[in-house]
Amino acid sequence: MVTALGHNAADNWANLIEGRSGLRRISLFDPAGYDSQVAGEVPDFDPSIYMDRKDARRADRLTQFAIVAAEAALKQARYEADPADGTDFAVIVGTAIGGITSLVAEYDTLLAKGPRPRQPLPHADDAARYDLRPIEHSPRGESRELCARQRLCERRR
């Protein structure tokens, strides 16, 4: 669980019990000019604590949160991978466009540099990166991403 109240279930629960709010002034962009300047952003999140820097750089912030949450769920479930039989779990991710951060960055690049060969939907296949962690746990069950462009996004092992 990665939320504005914490990066794990224990911190989230403790902050809820203490009556803390995860809402604060927006810091990921300049909210000047917007009527609302507060949001439930995830503060102080450093993906390099949880994953390789190269993987973190390639993954949208949304994907980073999902990887951390999935890893915590496997740990909480006391899941132990059995290399002989990895078919006891699969990866299923629901998304429409991947992460909005990547989509906006690609849009800005398009405006600045014009059209050139690019992915049709930037990071629409971002959920493929969700597989970074589960692969370490040897899943051999069907893994797929569900999204608005099913044909583009579906991944199977």
Side-chain angles (χ1 to χ4, degrees):
M1 175 182 286
V2 179
T3 75
L5 291 176
H7 303 165
N8 57 59
D11 289 345
N12 272 276
W13 183 249
N15 285 319
L16 278 171
I17 295 299
E18 292 177 22
R20 292 194 176 117
S21 170
L23 299 180
R24 50 186 65 84
R25 188 169 195 283
I26 294 171
S27 64
L28 295 176
F29 64 89
D30 181 7
Y34 289 93
D35 291 339
S36 176
Q37 298 190 5
V38 297
E41 294 178 339
V42 177
D44 307 319
F45 182 78
D46 179 2
S48 66
I49 293 171
Y50 306 100
M51 65 190 72
D52 173 290
R53 290 176 67 152
K54 183 177 176 183
D55 291 340
R57 189 177 65 250
R58 290 180 175 174
D60 193 89
R61 190 168 160 91
L62 160 82
T63 304
Q64 295 167 354
F65 295 161
I67 290 170
V68 171
E71 195 69 26
L74 289 170
K75 184 176 180 181
Q76 184 178 0
R78 295 185 183 100
Y79 177 79
E80 302 221 5
D82 179 358
D85 182 19
T87 61
D88 54 347
F89 82 93
V91 177
I92 299 175
V93 177
T95 183
I97 57 169
I100 193 71
T101 307
S102 296
L103 182 67
V104 169
E106 290 292 330
Y107 178 73
D108 289 344
T109 300
L110 174 68
L111 290 178
K113 297 183 178 179
R116 57 187 165 115
R118 311 188 76 71
Q119 285 183 299
L121 288 174
H123 289 271
D125 66 342
D126 201 45
R129 291 177 182 87
Y130 284 93
D131 295 341
L132 294 171
R133 290 294 169 171
I135 283 173
E136 295 174 10
H137 299 284
S138 307
R140 283 187 234 131
E142 183 174 308
S143 297
R144 65 171 54 188
E145 170 192 8
L146 305 174
C147 75
R149 299 276 303 259
Q150 185 68 26
R151 190 179 46 152
L152 175 68
C153 299
E154 189 170 294
R155 301 283 189 259
R156 294 181 183 210
R157 280 194 196 59

mmCIF file of all heavy atoms in Angstrom, residues 45-93:
data_model
loop_
_atom_site.group_PDB
_atom_site.id
_atom_site.type_symbol
_atom_site.label_atom_id
_atom_site.label_comp_id
_atom_site.label_asym_id
_atom_site.label_seq_id
_atom_site.Cartn_x
_atom_site.Cartn_y
_atom_site.Cartn_z
ATOM 1 N N PHE A 45 8.872 9.845 -1.655
ATOM 2 C CA PHE A 45 8.982 8.503 -2.236
ATOM 3 C C PHE A 45 10.247 8.438 -3.073
ATOM 4 O O PHE A 45 10.403 9.170 -4.044
ATOM 5 C CB PHE A 45 7.766 8.174 -3.100
ATOM 6 C CG PHE A 45 7.800 6.792 -3.670
ATOM 7 C CD1 PHE A 45 7.471 5.702 -2.887
ATOM 8 C CD2 PHE A 45 8.188 6.578 -4.980
ATOM 9 C CE1 PHE A 45 7.507 4.416 -3.403
ATOM 10 C CE2 PHE A 45 8.234 5.297 -5.508
ATOM 11 C CZ PHE A 45 7.892 4.219 -4.716
ATOM 12 N N ASP A 46 11.162 7.565 -2.692
ATOM 13 C CA ASP A 46 12.411 7.364 -3.424
ATOM 14 C C ASP A 46 12.403 5.948 -3.983
ATOM 15 O O ASP A 46 12.638 4.983 -3.250
ATOM 16 C CB ASP A 46 13.611 7.556 -2.494
ATOM 17 C CG ASP A 46 14.945 7.340 -3.200
ATOM 18 O OD1 ASP A 46 14.961 7.086 -4.425
ATOM 19 O OD2 ASP A 46 15.975 7.428 -2.510
ATOM 20 N N PRO A 47 12.100 5.780 -5.267
ATOM 21 C CA PRO A 47 11.990 4.436 -5.824
ATOM 22 C C PRO A 47 13.279 3.631 -5.750
ATOM 23 O O PRO A 47 13.249 2.404 -5.722
ATOM 24 C CB PRO A 47 11.570 4.672 -7.273
ATOM 25 C CG PRO A 47 11.986 6.064 -7.572
ATOM 26 C CD PRO A 47 11.905 6.815 -6.275
ATOM 27 N N SER A 48 14.429 4.308 -5.681
ATOM 28 C CA SER A 48 15.705 3.574 -5.648
ATOM 29 C C SER A 48 15.876 2.780 -4.352
ATOM 30 O O SER A 48 16.725 1.896 -4.279
ATOM 31 C CB SER A 48 16.886 4.520 -5.867
ATOM 32 O OG SER A 48 17.005 5.419 -4.788
ATOM 33 N N ILE A 49 15.045 3.062 -3.350
ATOM 34 C CA ILE A 49 15.072 2.261 -2.121
ATOM 35 C C ILE A 49 14.492 0.876 -2.388
ATOM 36 O O ILE A 49 14.899 -0.110 -1.784
ATOM 37 C CB ILE A 49 14.255 2.962 -1.004
ATOM 38 C CG1 ILE A 49 14.944 4.251 -0.585
ATOM 39 C CG2 ILE A 49 14.025 2.044 0.188
ATOM 40 C CD1 ILE A 49 14.119 5.111 0.351
ATOM 41 N N TYR A 50 13.564 0.810 -3.334
ATOM 42 C CA TYR A 50 12.810 -0.414 -3.576
ATOM 43 C C TYR A 50 13.218 -1.179 -4.829
ATOM 44 O O TYR A 50 12.879 -2.334 -4.984
ATOM 45 C CB TYR A 50 11.320 -0.082 -3.680
ATOM 46 C CG TYR A 50 10.795 0.669 -2.497
ATOM 47 C CD1 TYR A 50 10.611 2.050 -2.551
ATOM 48 C CD2 TYR A 50 10.498 0.013 -1.315
ATOM 49 C CE1 TYR A 50 10.128 2.747 -1.472
ATOM 50 C CE2 TYR A 50 10.017 0.710 -0.221
ATOM 51 C CZ TYR A 50 9.833 2.070 -0.302
ATOM 52 O OH TYR A 50 9.357 2.766 0.782
ATOM 53 N N MET A 51 13.904 -0.506 -5.750
ATOM 54 C CA MET A 51 14.239 -1.161 -7.009
ATOM 55 C C MET A 51 15.515 -0.569 -7.594
ATOM 56 O O MET A 51 15.952 0.510 -7.191
ATOM 57 C CB MET A 51 13.078 -1.012 -8.004
ATOM 58 C CG MET A 51 12.814 0.411 -8.433
ATOM 59 S SD MET A 51 11.288 0.627 -9.378
ATOM 60 C CE MET A 51 10.083 0.416 -8.088
ATOM 61 N N ASP A 52 16.056 -1.279 -8.531
ATOM 62 C CA ASP A 52 17.235 -0.855 -9.269
ATOM 63 C C ASP A 52 16.989 0.537 -9.878
ATOM 64 O O ASP A 52 15.896 0.819 -10.353
ATOM 65 C CB ASP A 52 17.462 -1.918 -10.361
ATOM 66 C CG ASP A 52 18.540 -1.576 -11.329
ATOM 67 O OD1 ASP A 52 18.342 -0.657 -12.139
ATOM 68 O OD2 ASP A 52 19.577 -2.247 -11.293
ATOM 69 N N ARG A 53 18.000 1.395 -9.854
ATOM 70 C CA ARG A 53 17.848 2.764 -10.370
ATOM 71 C C ARG A 53 17.447 2.782 -11.838
ATOM 72 O O ARG A 53 16.667 3.615 -12.273
ATOM 73 C CB ARG A 53 19.136 3.551 -10.171
ATOM 74 C CG ARG A 53 19.412 3.858 -8.712
ATOM 75 C CD ARG A 53 20.719 4.542 -8.553
ATOM 76 N NE ARG A 53 20.635 5.861 -9.176
ATOM 77 C CZ ARG A 53 21.337 6.897 -8.807
ATOM 78 N NH1 ARG A 53 22.202 6.777 -7.827
ATOM 79 N NH2 ARG A 53 21.207 8.046 -9.409
ATOM 80 N N LYS A 54 17.971 1.838 -12.614
ATOM 81 C CA LYS A 54 17.640 1.770 -14.036
ATOM 82 C C LYS A 54 16.153 1.440 -14.214
ATOM 83 O O LYS A 54 15.460 2.069 -15.010
ATOM 84 C CB LYS A 54 18.512 0.708 -14.714
ATOM 85 C CG LYS A 54 18.307 0.585 -16.197
ATOM 86 C CD LYS A 54 19.265 -0.448 -16.769
ATOM 87 C CE LYS A 54 19.039 -0.677 -18.235
ATOM 88 N NZ LYS A 54 19.912 -1.716 -18.764
ATOM 89 N N ASP A 55 15.650 0.460 -13.451
ATOM 90 C CA ASP A 55 14.234 0.116 -13.513
ATOM 91 C C ASP A 55 13.374 1.294 -13.064
ATOM 92 O O ASP A 55 12.347 1.589 -13.666
ATOM 93 C CB ASP A 55 13.921 -1.101 -12.628
ATOM 94 C CG ASP A 55 14.520 -2.385 -13.173
ATOM 95 O OD1 ASP A 55 14.847 -2.431 -14.379
ATOM 96 O OD2 ASP A 55 14.661 -3.337 -12.391
ATOM 97 N N ALA A 56 13.796 1.970 -12.015
ATOM 98 C CA ALA A 56 13.045 3.110 -11.492
ATOM 99 C C ALA A 56 12.971 4.227 -12.538
ATOM 100 O O ALA A 56 11.919 4.850 -12.714
ATOM 101 C CB ALA A 56 13.688 3.623 -10.212
ATOM 102 N N ARG A 57 14.048 4.466 -13.241
ATOM 103 C CA ARG A 57 14.082 5.521 -14.254
ATOM 104 C C ARG A 57 13.157 5.190 -15.428
ATOM 105 O O ARG A 57 12.525 6.074 -15.998
ATOM 106 C CB ARG A 57 15.519 5.723 -14.745
ATOM 107 C CG ARG A 57 15.699 6.939 -15.630
ATOM 108 C CD ARG A 57 17.146 7.157 -16.043
ATOM 109 N NE ARG A 57 17.646 6.094 -16.885
ATOM 110 C CZ ARG A 57 18.555 5.180 -16.516
ATOM 111 N NH1 ARG A 57 19.085 5.214 -15.317
ATOM 112 N NH2 ARG A 57 18.952 4.235 -17.341
ATOM 113 N N ARG A 58 13.053 3.927 -15.765
ATOM 114 C CA ARG A 58 12.225 3.510 -16.898
ATOM 115 C C ARG A 58 10.739 3.421 -16.559
ATOM 116 O O ARG A 58 9.914 3.400 -17.463
ATOM 117 C CB ARG A 58 12.697 2.145 -17.402
ATOM 118 C CG ARG A 58 14.031 2.204 -18.062
ATOM 119 C CD ARG A 58 14.442 0.848 -18.535
ATOM 120 N NE ARG A 58 15.689 0.919 -19.272
ATOM 121 C CZ ARG A 58 16.335 -0.131 -19.705
ATOM 122 N NH1 ARG A 58 15.873 -1.334 -19.466
ATOM 123 N NH2 ARG A 58 17.460 0.009 -20.361
ATOM 124 N N ALA A 59 10.415 3.317 -15.298
ATOM 125 C CA ALA A 59 9.025 3.117 -14.885
ATOM 126 C C ALA A 59 8.374 4.432 -14.483
ATOM 127 O O ALA A 59 8.986 5.269 -13.830
ATOM 128 C CB ALA A 59 8.974 2.137 -13.724
ATOM 129 N N ASP A 60 7.148 4.611 -14.882
ATOM 130 C CA ASP A 60 6.374 5.764 -14.455
ATOM 131 C C ASP A 60 6.155 5.675 -12.941
ATOM 132 O O ASP A 60 6.210 4.595 -12.352
ATOM 133 C CB ASP A 60 5.021 5.741 -15.175
ATOM 134 C CG ASP A 60 4.284 7.044 -15.049
ATOM 135 O OD1 ASP A 60 4.505 7.909 -15.908
ATOM 136 O OD2 ASP A 60 3.503 7.205 -14.092
ATOM 137 N N ARG A 61 5.901 6.801 -12.314
ATOM 138 C CA ARG A 61 5.670 6.842 -10.858
ATOM 139 C C ARG A 61 4.552 5.880 -10.449
ATOM 140 O O ARG A 61 4.665 5.183 -9.440
ATOM 141 C CB ARG A 61 5.344 8.288 -10.466
ATOM 142 C CG ARG A 61 5.310 8.558 -8.986
ATOM 143 C CD ARG A 61 5.272 10.080 -8.766
ATOM 144 N NE ARG A 61 4.799 10.460 -7.470
ATOM 145 C CZ ARG A 61 5.574 10.642 -6.408
ATOM 146 N NH1 ARG A 61 6.880 10.476 -6.511
ATOM 147 N NH2 ARG A 61 5.057 11.005 -5.255
ATOM 148 N N LEU A 62 3.503 5.822 -11.237
ATOM 149 C CA LEU A 62 2.404 4.892 -10.996
ATOM 150 C C LEU A 62 2.905 3.455 -10.939
ATOM 151 O O LEU A 62 2.541 2.681 -10.043
ATOM 152 C CB LEU A 62 1.363 5.038 -12.118
ATOM 153 C CG LEU A 62 0.397 3.886 -12.336
ATOM 154 C CD1 LEU A 62 -0.741 3.995 -11.346
ATOM 155 C CD2 LEU A 62 -0.125 3.907 -13.754
ATOM 156 N N THR A 63 3.744 3.088 -11.853
ATOM 157 C CA THR A 63 4.304 1.743 -11.903
ATOM 158 C C THR A 63 5.184 1.475 -10.692
ATOM 159 O O THR A 63 5.149 0.387 -10.116
ATOM 160 C CB THR A 63 5.116 1.554 -13.199
ATOM 161 O OG1 THR A 63 4.271 1.833 -14.311
ATOM 162 C CG2 THR A 63 5.668 0.149 -13.305
ATOM 163 N N GLN A 64 5.952 2.461 -10.293
ATOM 164 C CA GLN A 64 6.799 2.305 -9.110
ATOM 165 C C GLN A 64 5.942 1.998 -7.882
ATOM 166 O O GLN A 64 6.266 1.098 -7.105
ATOM 167 C CB GLN A 64 7.625 3.574 -8.877
ATOM 168 C CG GLN A 64 8.612 3.853 -9.971
ATOM 169 C CD GLN A 64 9.189 5.250 -9.897
ATOM 170 O OE1 GLN A 64 8.774 6.089 -9.088
ATOM 171 N NE2 GLN A 64 10.169 5.517 -10.755
ATOM 172 N N PHE A 65 4.844 2.730 -7.712
ATOM 173 C CA PHE A 65 3.950 2.477 -6.580
ATOM 174 C C PHE A 65 3.393 1.052 -6.644
ATOM 175 O O PHE A 65 3.319 0.353 -5.636
ATOM 176 C CB PHE A 65 2.776 3.455 -6.558
ATOM 177 C CG PHE A 65 3.135 4.890 -6.330
ATOM 178 C CD1 PHE A 65 2.254 5.892 -6.678
ATOM 179 C CD2 PHE A 65 4.341 5.263 -5.765
ATOM 180 C CE1 PHE A 65 2.554 7.232 -6.460
ATOM 181 C CE2 PHE A 65 4.671 6.597 -5.551
ATOM 182 C CZ PHE A 65 3.766 7.580 -5.898
ATOM 183 N N ALA A 66 2.977 0.633 -7.832
ATOM 184 C CA ALA A 66 2.393 -0.700 -7.992
ATOM 185 C C ALA A 66 3.406 -1.794 -7.666
ATOM 186 O O ALA A 66 3.068 -2.801 -7.031
ATOM 187 C CB ALA A 66 1.859 -0.873 -9.415
ATOM 188 N N ILE A 67 4.644 -1.617 -8.096
ATOM 189 C CA ILE A 67 5.680 -2.609 -7.817
ATOM 190 C C ILE A 67 5.921 -2.719 -6.318
ATOM 191 O O ILE A 67 5.988 -3.807 -5.757
ATOM 192 C CB ILE A 67 6.992 -2.268 -8.569
ATOM 193 C CG1 ILE A 67 6.802 -2.497 -10.067
ATOM 194 C CG2 ILE A 67 8.163 -3.084 -8.031
ATOM 195 C CD1 ILE A 67 7.939 -1.966 -10.915
ATOM 196 N N VAL A 68 6.026 -1.577 -5.645
ATOM 197 C CA VAL A 68 6.261 -1.572 -4.199
ATOM 198 C C VAL A 68 5.084 -2.225 -3.470
ATOM 199 O O VAL A 68 5.268 -3.051 -2.572
ATOM 200 C CB VAL A 68 6.505 -0.135 -3.684
ATOM 201 C CG1 VAL A 68 6.525 -0.081 -2.166
ATOM 202 C CG2 VAL A 68 7.819 0.391 -4.245
ATOM 203 N N ALA A 69 3.863 -1.889 -3.866
ATOM 204 C CA ALA A 69 2.679 -2.458 -3.220
ATOM 205 C C ALA A 69 2.575 -3.963 -3.468
ATOM 206 O O ALA A 69 2.248 -4.736 -2.556
ATOM 207 C CB ALA A 69 1.425 -1.750 -3.705
ATOM 208 N N ALA A 70 2.867 -4.402 -4.695
ATOM 209 C CA ALA A 70 2.810 -5.831 -5.011
ATOM 210 C C ALA A 70 3.854 -6.610 -4.220
ATOM 211 O O ALA A 70 3.586 -7.692 -3.694
ATOM 212 C CB ALA A 70 3.009 -6.044 -6.515
ATOM 213 N N GLU A 71 5.028 -6.049 -4.126
ATOM 214 C CA GLU A 71 6.094 -6.698 -3.357
ATOM 215 C C GLU A 71 5.702 -6.821 -1.886
ATOM 216 O O GLU A 71 5.909 -7.861 -1.259
ATOM 217 C CB GLU A 71 7.386 -5.886 -3.506
ATOM 218 C CG GLU A 71 8.633 -6.591 -3.081
ATOM 219 C CD GLU A 71 9.033 -7.730 -3.984
ATOM 220 O OE1 GLU A 71 8.679 -7.724 -5.172
ATOM 221 O OE2 GLU A 71 9.706 -8.649 -3.488
ATOM 222 N N ALA A 72 5.101 -5.768 -1.337
ATOM 223 C CA ALA A 72 4.649 -5.802 0.062
ATOM 224 C C ALA A 72 3.544 -6.837 0.252
ATOM 225 O O ALA A 72 3.508 -7.538 1.274
ATOM 226 C CB ALA A 72 4.160 -4.426 0.488
ATOM 227 N N ALA A 73 2.646 -6.959 -0.717
ATOM 228 C CA ALA A 73 1.569 -7.950 -0.626
ATOM 229 C C ALA A 73 2.131 -9.370 -0.617
ATOM 230 O O ALA A 73 1.683 -10.218 0.163
ATOM 231 C CB ALA A 73 0.588 -7.775 -1.781
ATOM 232 N N LEU A 74 3.127 -9.627 -1.472
ATOM 233 C CA LEU A 74 3.751 -10.955 -1.492
ATOM 234 C C LEU A 74 4.437 -11.246 -0.158
ATOM 235 O O LEU A 74 4.346 -12.354 0.374
ATOM 236 C CB LEU A 74 4.766 -11.052 -2.631
ATOM 237 C CG LEU A 74 4.190 -11.103 -4.046
ATOM 238 C CD1 LEU A 74 5.301 -10.961 -5.076
ATOM 239 C CD2 LEU A 74 3.407 -12.382 -4.261
ATOM 240 N N LYS A 75 5.082 -10.239 0.398
ATOM 241 C CA LYS A 75 5.765 -10.409 1.681
ATOM 242 C C LYS A 75 4.750 -10.650 2.801
ATOM 243 O O LYS A 75 4.925 -11.544 3.631
ATOM 244 C CB LYS A 75 6.616 -9.174 1.990
ATOM 245 C CG LYS A 75 7.430 -9.305 3.249
ATOM 246 C CD LYS A 75 8.315 -8.092 3.455
ATOM 247 C CE LYS A 75 9.128 -8.231 4.725
ATOM 248 N NZ LYS A 75 9.970 -7.062 4.954
ATOM 249 N N GLN A 76 3.678 -9.852 2.825
ATOM 250 C CA GLN A 76 2.664 -10.008 3.862
ATOM 251 C C GLN A 76 1.984 -11.370 3.768
ATOM 252 O O GLN A 76 1.629 -11.967 4.780
ATOM 253 C CB GLN A 76 1.616 -8.899 3.752
ATOM 254 C CG GLN A 76 0.582 -8.947 4.856
ATOM 255 C CD GLN A 76 -0.417 -7.807 4.763
ATOM 256 O OE1 GLN A 76 -0.346 -6.963 3.871
ATOM 257 N NE2 GLN A 76 -1.346 -7.776 5.693
ATOM 258 N N ALA A 77 1.814 -11.869 2.557
ATOM 259 C CA ALA A 77 1.202 -13.186 2.357
ATOM 260 C C ALA A 77 2.184 -14.319 2.669
ATOM 261 O O ALA A 77 1.815 -15.488 2.611
ATOM 262 C CB ALA A 77 0.705 -13.313 0.925
ATOM 263 N N ARG A 78 3.418 -13.949 2.979
ATOM 264 C CA ARG A 78 4.490 -14.918 3.233
ATOM 265 C C ARG A 78 4.669 -15.868 2.044
ATOM 266 O O ARG A 78 4.908 -17.053 2.207
ATOM 267 C CB ARG A 78 4.211 -15.699 4.513
ATOM 268 C CG ARG A 78 4.242 -14.828 5.741
ATOM 269 C CD ARG A 78 4.081 -15.667 7.007
ATOM 270 N NE ARG A 78 4.031 -14.816 8.165
ATOM 271 C CZ ARG A 78 2.909 -14.465 8.778
ATOM 272 N NH1 ARG A 78 1.747 -14.889 8.338
ATOM 273 N NH2 ARG A 78 2.946 -13.688 9.839
ATOM 274 N N TYR A 79 4.535 -15.285 0.865
ATOM 275 C CA TYR A 79 4.692 -16.068 -0.345
ATOM 276 C C TYR A 79 6.157 -16.441 -0.540
ATOM 277 O O TYR A 79 7.035 -15.591 -0.458
ATOM 278 C CB TYR A 79 4.213 -15.291 -1.582
ATOM 279 C CG TYR A 79 4.444 -16.066 -2.850
ATOM 280 C CD1 TYR A 79 3.585 -17.083 -3.209
ATOM 281 C CD2 TYR A 79 5.541 -15.813 -3.649
ATOM 282 C CE1 TYR A 79 3.814 -17.833 -4.350
ATOM 283 C CE2 TYR A 79 5.778 -16.546 -4.787
ATOM 284 C CZ TYR A 79 4.909 -17.562 -5.127
ATOM 285 O OH TYR A 79 5.147 -18.306 -6.251
ATOM 286 N N GLU A 80 6.400 -17.692 -0.793
ATOM 287 C CA GLU A 80 7.748 -18.175 -1.099
ATOM 288 C C GLU A 80 7.695 -18.845 -2.462
ATOM 289 O O GLU A 80 6.961 -19.811 -2.658
ATOM 290 C CB GLU A 80 8.212 -19.159 -0.019
ATOM 291 C CG GLU A 80 8.184 -18.520 1.344
ATOM 292 C CD GLU A 80 9.380 -18.880 2.187
ATOM 293 O OE1 GLU A 80 10.288 -19.549 1.673
ATOM 294 O OE2 GLU A 80 9.385 -18.460 3.340
ATOM 295 N N ALA A 81 8.455 -18.329 -3.382
ATOM 296 C CA ALA A 81 8.468 -18.890 -4.732
ATOM 297 C C ALA A 81 9.005 -20.304 -4.722
ATOM 298 O O ALA A 81 9.985 -20.608 -4.054
ATOM 299 C CB ALA A 81 9.326 -18.017 -5.649
ATOM 300 N N ASP A 82 8.327 -21.138 -5.459
ATOM 301 C CA ASP A 82 8.777 -22.514 -5.640
ATOM 302 C C ASP A 82 9.282 -22.614 -7.078
ATOM 303 O O ASP A 82 8.481 -22.634 -8.008
ATOM 304 C CB ASP A 82 7.625 -23.490 -5.412
ATOM 305 C CG ASP A 82 8.035 -24.941 -5.623
ATOM 306 O OD1 ASP A 82 9.215 -25.196 -5.987
ATOM 307 O OD2 ASP A 82 7.183 -25.823 -5.436
ATOM 308 N N PRO A 83 10.592 -22.650 -7.260
ATOM 309 C CA PRO A 83 11.135 -22.687 -8.621
ATOM 310 C C PRO A 83 10.605 -23.852 -9.451
ATOM 311 O O PRO A 83 10.538 -23.773 -10.665
ATOM 312 C CB PRO A 83 12.645 -22.813 -8.420
ATOM 313 C CG PRO A 83 12.887 -22.333 -7.029
ATOM 314 C CD PRO A 83 11.642 -22.651 -6.253
ATOM 315 N N ALA A 84 10.189 -24.925 -8.793
ATOM 316 C CA ALA A 84 9.688 -26.088 -9.513
ATOM 317 C C ALA A 84 8.289 -25.851 -10.074
ATOM 318 O O ALA A 84 7.894 -26.463 -11.054
ATOM 319 C CB ALA A 84 9.663 -27.307 -8.591
ATOM 320 N N ASP A 85 7.509 -24.970 -9.426
ATOM 321 C CA ASP A 85 6.147 -24.728 -9.883
ATOM 322 C C ASP A 85 5.756 -23.280 -9.635
ATOM 323 O O ASP A 85 5.289 -22.926 -8.558
ATOM 324 C CB ASP A 85 5.161 -25.657 -9.177
ATOM 325 C CG ASP A 85 3.740 -25.464 -9.674
ATOM 326 O OD1 ASP A 85 3.565 -24.901 -10.776
ATOM 327 O OD2 ASP A 85 2.804 -25.864 -8.968
ATOM 328 N N GLY A 86 5.945 -22.444 -10.628
ATOM 329 C CA GLY A 86 5.603 -21.034 -10.494
ATOM 330 C C GLY A 86 4.217 -20.713 -11.011
ATOM 331 O O GLY A 86 3.905 -19.564 -11.260
ATOM 332 N N THR A 87 3.365 -21.744 -11.195
ATOM 333 C CA THR A 87 2.039 -21.503 -11.765
ATOM 334 C C THR A 87 0.990 -21.162 -10.720
ATOM 335 O O THR A 87 -0.172 -21.015 -11.042
ATOM 336 C CB THR A 87 1.551 -22.739 -12.553
ATOM 337 O OG1 THR A 87 1.462 -23.849 -11.659
ATOM 338 C CG2 THR A 87 2.481 -23.056 -13.702
ATOM 339 N N ASP A 88 1.386 -21.006 -9.470
ATOM 340 C CA ASP A 88 0.392 -20.757 -8.440
ATOM 341 C C ASP A 88 0.003 -19.291 -8.305
ATOM 342 O O ASP A 88 -0.827 -18.951 -7.476
ATOM 343 C CB ASP A 88 0.848 -21.313 -7.094
ATOM 344 C CG ASP A 88 2.221 -20.808 -6.669
ATOM 345 O OD1 ASP A 88 2.920 -20.237 -7.504
ATOM 346 O OD2 ASP A 88 2.573 -21.015 -5.499
ATOM 347 N N PHE A 89 0.582 -18.407 -9.098
ATOM 348 C CA PHE A 89 0.089 -17.028 -9.150
ATOM 349 C C PHE A 89 0.399 -16.419 -10.503
ATOM 350 O O PHE A 89 1.210 -16.921 -11.258
ATOM 351 C CB PHE A 89 0.642 -16.185 -7.995
ATOM 352 C CG PHE A 89 2.028 -15.631 -8.207
ATOM 353 C CD1 PHE A 89 2.203 -14.363 -8.737
ATOM 354 C CD2 PHE A 89 3.148 -16.354 -7.854
ATOM 355 C CE1 PHE A 89 3.476 -13.833 -8.913
ATOM 356 C CE2 PHE A 89 4.417 -15.838 -8.022
ATOM 357 C CZ PHE A 89 4.583 -14.574 -8.557
ATOM 358 N N ALA A 90 -0.316 -15.329 -10.782
ATOM 359 C CA ALA A 90 -0.141 -14.617 -12.039
ATOM 360 C C ALA A 90 -0.146 -13.122 -11.734
ATOM 361 O O ALA A 90 -0.395 -12.719 -10.606
ATOM 362 C CB ALA A 90 -1.272 -14.962 -13.006
ATOM 363 N N VAL A 91 0.115 -12.350 -12.744
ATOM 364 C CA VAL A 91 0.111 -10.897 -12.605
ATOM 365 C C VAL A 91 -1.014 -10.356 -13.489
ATOM 366 O O VAL A 91 -1.047 -10.630 -14.672
ATOM 367 C CB VAL A 91 1.451 -10.279 -13.057
ATOM 368 C CG1 VAL A 91 1.395 -8.766 -12.974
ATOM 369 C CG2 VAL A 91 2.591 -10.847 -12.251
ATOM 370 N N ILE A 92 -1.941 -9.603 -12.884
ATOM 371 C CA ILE A 92 -3.011 -8.975 -13.651
ATOM 372 C C ILE A 92 -3.043 -7.505 -13.260
ATOM 373 O O ILE A 92 -3.140 -7.169 -12.085
ATOM 374 C CB ILE A 92 -4.376 -9.629 -13.374
ATOM 375 C CG1 ILE A 92 -4.334 -11.107 -13.769
ATOM 376 C CG2 ILE A 92 -5.477 -8.884 -14.139
ATOM 377 C CD1 ILE A 92 -5.577 -11.874 -13.442
ATOM 378 N N VAL A 93 -2.919 -6.651 -14.244
ATOM 379 C CA VAL A 93 -2.868 -5.209 -14.005
ATOM 380 C C VAL A 93 -3.935 -4.545 -14.860
ATOM 381 O O VAL A 93 -4.063 -4.847 -16.038
ATOM 382 C CB VAL A 93 -1.479 -4.640 -14.380
ATOM 383 C CG1 VAL A 93 -1.443 -3.141 -14.204
ATOM 384 C CG2 VAL A 93 -0.398 -5.317 -13.571
#
